Amino acid sequence: MTETNYNYVDGEWVAAGTGETFAVHNPADRSDVVGEFQKAGTADAEAAVEAADEASQMWADTPGPERGRILRAAGQNLADRKGELTETLVREEGKARPEAAGEVQRAIDIFGYYAAKASDVGGTVKASSSDNTRLYTVNEPVGVAGLITPWNYPIAIPAWKIAPALATGNTIVFKPASQAPGVSRKLVECLDEAGLPDGVLNYVTGPGSEVGETFSTHEAVDAVSFTGSSAVGDTVGRQANETGKRVQLEMGGKNPTIVMPSADVDEAVDIVVSGAFGVTGQACTATSRAIVHEDVYDEFVEGAVAAAEAVEVGPGLDGAEMGPQVSESELDSTLEYVDIGVNEGATLETGGDEIDAGDGFFVEPAVFSHVDPTMRIAQEEIFGPVLAVIPVSGYEEAVEVANGVRYGLSASIVTQDLSEANRFVEDSESGVVKVNEKTTGLELHVPFGGMKDSSSETYREQGDAGIDFYTISKTVYMNY
């Protein structure tokens, strides 16, 4: 029997007032129904906001160490249920099991990190220029935070938004993506079981046009943090700005890795292919473009083709290296871009065909060579396992190509030339810059965010930057 999952509002698991639900299917086996979820409407979202608003002062007044204790207990609950969470993530989103387990572990680590940080949320003391005066700052929570998260990292991204928001004393209304809401529901369960007070965290599933828009526009919501596509992010940002909210947007990417002549080509291939085809290319930081110096271009393409053809594609629960795309629409989009690349004149070296591997949305990882930087496959975010390999004649041209897109999220260079490495750090128009590493993969204690159309360029996420977004500073002059 299919499990029916409920919204979590004011400390209670409740059905949507609409009386409607929607089914989530396993993208590796469409006959496998992961669960039924509430198709909430505007009234349900408003009820969640009202609960968060009502609990706001109580949670803000809760001492930081006590908030940290609850986060620490929630992290332990996640750890105790890691196997269950991993399987849920694989079933509803499609990741390979090791990838899913790594994402769950990241959520566990994030809660541990911000549990410790909760005791340090205070302020700073400064020397006053006047006698008999204490000058200091106090960091206070912003209030009610509206969190809207994507399907591609359905527990890690909610964790890195929820944990700092709670650590700093904010209450939350949270809408996960409808393609993969189950693992984040279990995250909410872990917080509930850890003793989180009623109303502090509210979880509502349903369409963005009603639930998301309510969270973005309601007068009682003070801050909105969104991760997802640029098109939706632009709408969320406009709605939130019109109502004077603090806004944090992280959106798409078209991430390059530059490969220079000094690179070990085999190592470069491993770095690029891992970044391009890991998590089925469904990461905002995925390597979409390999910008390769002509001196090593042919050797690199040969290696990339061999590596792509060696990737085992299939259901994550069966031990495959690369799982399915999350939905039929995502698969269709990838296949369409493969056709676009061929029609534009790029050479499809390998892959790009739909795979008959059970009743799922599987596609072969694709490698294109002889890609011109102006082609659509070199300019537009594909969000699937498609790699465009672009030849260049030198460092300056490589950087020009790397920066020549509307996005600026993550970028890397593979080189043994220290001068090139340092120049690239300065020259790259991206929020994350890596040397001799893949564009994917993030440390949780340093800021994360993009530039240009990849981000609102307002606040960063993770590390101390996560604290900054959810707090506002009050300066105190104490004359005694």
Side-chain angles (χ1 to χ4, degrees), residues 126-135 477-480:
K126 300 292 184 179
S128 173
S129 58
S130 302
D131 293 337
N132 303 322
T133 299
R134 290 184 64 215
L135 182 63
Y477 295 76
M478 176 70 72
N479 188 301
Y480 54 88

Side-chain angles (χ1 to χ4, degrees), residues 43-68:
D44 300 297
E46 289 175 343
V49 173
E50 290 164 7
D53 190 37
E54 181 69 23
S56 182
Q57 191 59 55
M58 173 274 298
W59 185 242
D61 291 341
T62 301
E66 172 60 15
R67 297 196 296 261

Side-chain angles (χ1 to χ4, degrees), residues 17-31:
T18 62
E20 298 181 64
T21 63
F22 63 93
V24 173
H25 296 261
N26 182 343
D29 179 3
R30 283 171 279 190
S31 66

Side-chain angles (χ1 to χ4, degrees), residues 47-104:
V49 173
E50 290 164 7
D53 190 37
E54 181 69 23
S56 182
Q57 191 59 55
M58 173 274 298
W59 185 242
D61 291 341
T62 301
E66 172 60 15
R67 297 196 296 261
R69 184 196 65 76
I70 293 173
L71 293 183
R72 191 172 299 107
Q76 184 58 57
N77 290 342
L78 290 169
D80 292 343
R81 298 173 64 176
K82 183 177 178 180
E84 172 196 352
L85 293 166
T86 297
E87 181 159 336
T88 299
L89 201 163
V90 174
R91 284 183 64 207
E92 70 175 1
E93 195 271 342
K95 281 186 174 70
R97 188 184 289 273
E99 295 170 339
E103 182 181 341
V104 173

Side-chain angles (χ1 to χ4, degrees), residues 373-426:
T374 63
M375 291 178 177
R376 288 180 62 187
I377 61 168
Q379 289 288 321
E380 299 175 11
E381 185 176 40
I382 298 176
F383 229 64
V386 178
L387 175 66
V389 189
I390 303 169
V392 292
S393 59
Y395 172 82
E396 286 76 13
E397 183 185 2
V399 170
E400 181 180 359
V401 171
N403 291 337
V405 294
R406 57 183 285 221
Y407 300 104
L409 185 52
S410 181
S412 71
I413 187 170
V414 186
T415 180
Q416 296 303 314
D417 185 318
L418 187 59
S419 176
E420 288 175 346
N422 282 287
R423 287 177 64 192
F424 184 67
V425 170
E426 296 180 358

Side-chain angles (χ1 to χ4, degrees), residues 291-317:
I291 302 168
V292 183
H293 193 281
E294 58 190 13
D295 289 354
V296 293
Y297 186 83
D298 291 341
E299 183 182 357
F300 177 88
V301 170
E302 182 181 353
V305 168
E309 292 176 346
V311 174
E312 182 186 356
V313 182
L317 292 176

Side-chain angles (χ1 to χ4, degrees), residues 149-410:
T149 61
W151 51 261
N152 61 325
Y153 285 93
I155 190 169
I157 292 178
W160 81 50
K161 294 181 188 292
I162 290 171
L166 293 179
T168 50
N170 297 273
T171 55
I172 294 169
V173 287
F174 165 42
K175 183 195 120 48
S178 295
Q179 293 94 329
V183 72
S184 60
R185 180 197 183 280
K186 294 179 187 292
L187 168 59
V188 174
E189 287 178 0
C190 289
L191 280 158
D192 177 57
E193 293 163 3
L196 194 69
D198 295 349
V200 174
L201 172 63
N202 303 273
Y203 160 95
V204 182
T205 57
S209 59
E210 295 189 52
V211 178
E213 183 172 346
T214 300
F215 291 173
S216 300
T217 60
H218 198 292
E219 62 180 8
V221 175
D222 301 289
V224 174
S225 179
F226 167 87
T227 300
S229 71
S230 296
V232 177
D234 288 343
T235 299
V236 170
R238 184 181 69 254
Q239 292 170 342
N241 282 318
E242 286 174 353
T243 49
K245 305 185 191 314
R246 181 175 288 196
V247 180
Q248 176 186 69
L249 308 174
E250 292 302 332
M251 299 174 284
K254 191 66 180 173
N255 312 293
T257 293
I258 293 173
V259 180
M260 297 303 293
S262 64
D264 180 304
V265 176
D266 290 339
E267 179 185 16
V269 167
D270 288 343
I271 288 171
V272 170
V273 168
S274 177
F277 304 139
V279 298
T280 320
Q282 297 179 135
C284 56
T285 56
T287 309
S288 185
R289 298 175 294 152
I291 302 168
V292 183
H293 193 281
E294 58 190 13
D295 289 354
V296 293
Y297 186 83
D298 291 341
E299 183 182 357
F300 177 88
V301 170
E302 182 181 353
V305 168
E309 292 176 346
V311 174
E312 182 186 356
V313 182
L317 292 176
D318 294 347
E321 294 177 82
M322 191 180 95
Q325 300 229 239
V326 74
S327 66
E328 186 173 12
S329 63
E330 291 293 335
L331 173 62
D332 288 345
S333 176
T334 296
L335 296 173
E336 181 180 355
Y337 270 109
V338 171
D339 289 340
I340 288 169
V342 172
N343 292 333
E344 286 181 316
T347 301
L348 179 60
E349 297 282 352
T350 190
D353 289 327
E354 186 175 358
I355 298 174
D356 183 12
D359 189 21
F361 307 117
F362 298 99
V363 64
E364 296 172 334
V367 177
F368 279 97
S369 67
H370 302 101
V371 177
D372 186 277
T374 63
M375 291 178 177
R376 288 180 62 187
I377 61 168
Q379 289 288 321
E380 299 175 11
E381 185 176 40
I382 298 176
F383 229 64
V386 178
L387 175 66
V389 189
I390 303 169
V392 292
S393 59
Y395 172 82
E396 286 76 13
E397 183 185 2
V399 170
E400 181 180 359
V401 171
N403 291 337
V405 294
R406 57 183 285 221
Y407 300 104
L409 185 52
S410 181

